[in-house]
Amino acid sequence: MFTLPALKIASYEITLEVGPLGLNLPAFKGSTLRGAFGSTFRRLTCARHNEENCKDCLVKENCPYARVFESAPPEGSTALTKYESIPRPFVFEPPLEDRTQYDPGEKLTFGLVLI
């Protein structure tokens, strides 16, 4: 049996209330949820708000957004060295429904797993 004693996983259920304009989402909501989270997270945490990407940013090593969304193998790492980026430490679990239209005041619930 393979064990990872240092690996920590947290699972959350997030419920959003739809605003006064309603909400129209695609049938497959995962990429939309990830994109909305990413753009909001970047806007809140990026020290250089005008950067297109994090690759050449001078503060990327200390930036929460870069560590989560633009993650690369750590310096001196022996694992994943042939990859420019590594898997992100989160997974969105969108609702498994085909519904696309949400009226004001309705709830949208989805899961978020942090690794």
Side-chain angles (χ1 to χ4, degrees):
M1 178 177 197
F2 183 72
T3 61
L4 295 171
L7 182 67
K8 296 183 187 219
I9 299 174
S11 180
Y12 298 93
E13 182 177 275
I14 298 171
T15 301
L16 303 176
E17 183 173 326
V18 176
L21 299 178
L23 183 62
N24 188 16
L25 294 173
F28 302 103
K29 300 164 188 64
S31 60
T32 301
L33 293 171
R34 183 186 188 281
F37 175 73
S39 63
T40 301
F41 189 57
R42 182 180 193 139
R43 194 171 55 251
L44 292 172
T45 63
C46 179
R48 310 214 33 200
H49 300 288
N50 60 352
E51 294 290 325
E52 286 292 320
N53 65 52
C54 302
K55 188 175 182 179
D56 299 321
C57 181
L58 299 174
V59 296
K60 71 179 176 187
E61 298 300 321
N62 296 314
C63 175
Y65 175 83
R67 292 177 65 93
V68 172
F69 274 89
E70 304 280 339
S71 48
E75 286 289 323
S77 174
T78 58
L80 302 170
T81 55
K82 57 184 168 182
Y83 299 101
E84 188 173 309
S85 65
I86 59 176
R88 307 305 178 231
F90 61 88
V91 176
F92 280 95
E93 298 176 314
L96 299 176
E97 60 188 14
D98 293 335
R99 184 175 178 197
T100 60
Q101 185 63 43
Y102 296 84
D103 294 327
E106 287 189 302
K107 308 282 192 226
L108 173 66
T109 300
F110 58 93
L112 174 62
V113 178
L114 302 177
I115 305 160

